[in-house]
Amino acid sequence: MNNTFSLDKLVRPNIMAMEPYSSARDEFEGSGSIYLDANENSLGSALDSSYNRYPDPRQNGIRKKLSELKSVADNEIFLGNGSDEAIDLLYRAFCEPGRDKAVIFPPTYGMYKVQASINNTPVLEIPLNSDFSLPVEKIKEIINPSVKMLFVCSPNNPTGNLMPKSSIIEVLKDFKGLVVVDEAYIDFAPEGSSMINEIKNYPNLVVLQTFSKAWGLASLRLGMAFAQKPVIDILNKIKYPYNVNGVTQSMVLDALKAFNKKDMMVNQILSLRDNLVQRLKSVSLVEKIYPTSANFILAKVPMANKVYIELVKQGIIVRNRSSVLLCNNCLRITVGTEKENSQLIKALTNIKIKVPAI
Ligand SMILES: *Cc1c(COP(=O)(O)O)cnc(C)c1O
């Protein structure tokens, strides 16, 4: 247990002191037959279907279903407009602009740094070890009271590797700020890899997940944050009142009932991924495939910028990560359909790159 953690000391004083907006739907929660409290259009919508009512600001339906699915209490769940909203709100709640710091571990997801810049939060960058594992000892050396948050991405984007739970727990025990573990790809990792059931043990742990990847609902924009109630209460206090729109809420509720379809797609993607790895290994251009626990593969090729352009010429778009720390000459390839993967392999096989003699 982390006994020295104090949320009151971590939150920005203005956030601690403020009164949140109280919407019409906050002030009357039961059910009436006539709603004249929110200045909505009582006649309907400028569409055939009705969208004239404000959505549930607390997303009670989704949180109830999620709490069963994830075995956490519904008051330990925050829902936002993508996980990106949760990342933004975490900075705004906990980092005094221009003063408090965050730590990231490159190469990693770009949004941690972008949101920090918007919030004028200085970011300390501690590179991952060369095998992409967490630099636990360096973390212990560098953290000080001005550091409020660490962002650990697991499985990590763009490298694909899962960070061992033991290394994250070591950091959780040592650090008095928040450890944000971004699990956007956790459904593709072996069962039991998630940190979500550690929430009860660590008041400084925040786990992020999303409907954008395994659930196949990127367009709906729904992200989740899981943490103990005091942290979740702060995020809910500062979010936009109706941050998750009604269409998203009703579609995601349907998806949650069909979670077996998600599981089936995950299994299918995992077998497509393993097959793609095997086929990539037989392409002479491919120098190295990094181990992955996600729905993408990091591959090393000679002159990645050229390979990238050659693929684009054939209409195949991958992510060029060549300029990213520790990812020299690396392309990040999302697992596609059987047919898309075959076309990728064919295209790579046809690319002729002359590697200059050293
Ligand atoms: C794709 C991705 C997300 C998802 O963000 P949303 O805003 O929920 O779509 C979050 N974190 C990482 C590391 C990702 O790669």
Side-chain angles (χ1 to χ4, degrees), residues 82-84 109 112 153 157 182 184-185 210 212-213 221:
S83 351
D84 292 345
Y109 187 47
Y112 313 138
C153 191
N157 179 1
D182 186 344
Y185 301 97
T210 179
S212 297
K213 307 287 157 63
R221 311 303 306 131

Side-chain angles (χ1 to χ4, degrees), residues 80-87 108-112 115 152-158 182-185 208-213 217-219 221-224 295-296 332:
N81 188 335
S83 351
D84 292 345
E85 181 182 359
I87 297 168
T108 194
Y109 187 47
M111 284 307 280
Y112 313 138
Q115 302 280 22
V152 177
C153 191
S154 176
N156 187 43
N157 179 1
D182 186 344
E183 296 187 339
Y185 301 97
L208 303 181
Q209 293 183 7
T210 179
F211 283 88
S212 297
K213 307 287 157 63
L217 299 172
S219 173
R221 311 303 306 131
L222 193 69
M224 305 161 258
N295 65 339
F296 58 83
R332 193 195 69 192

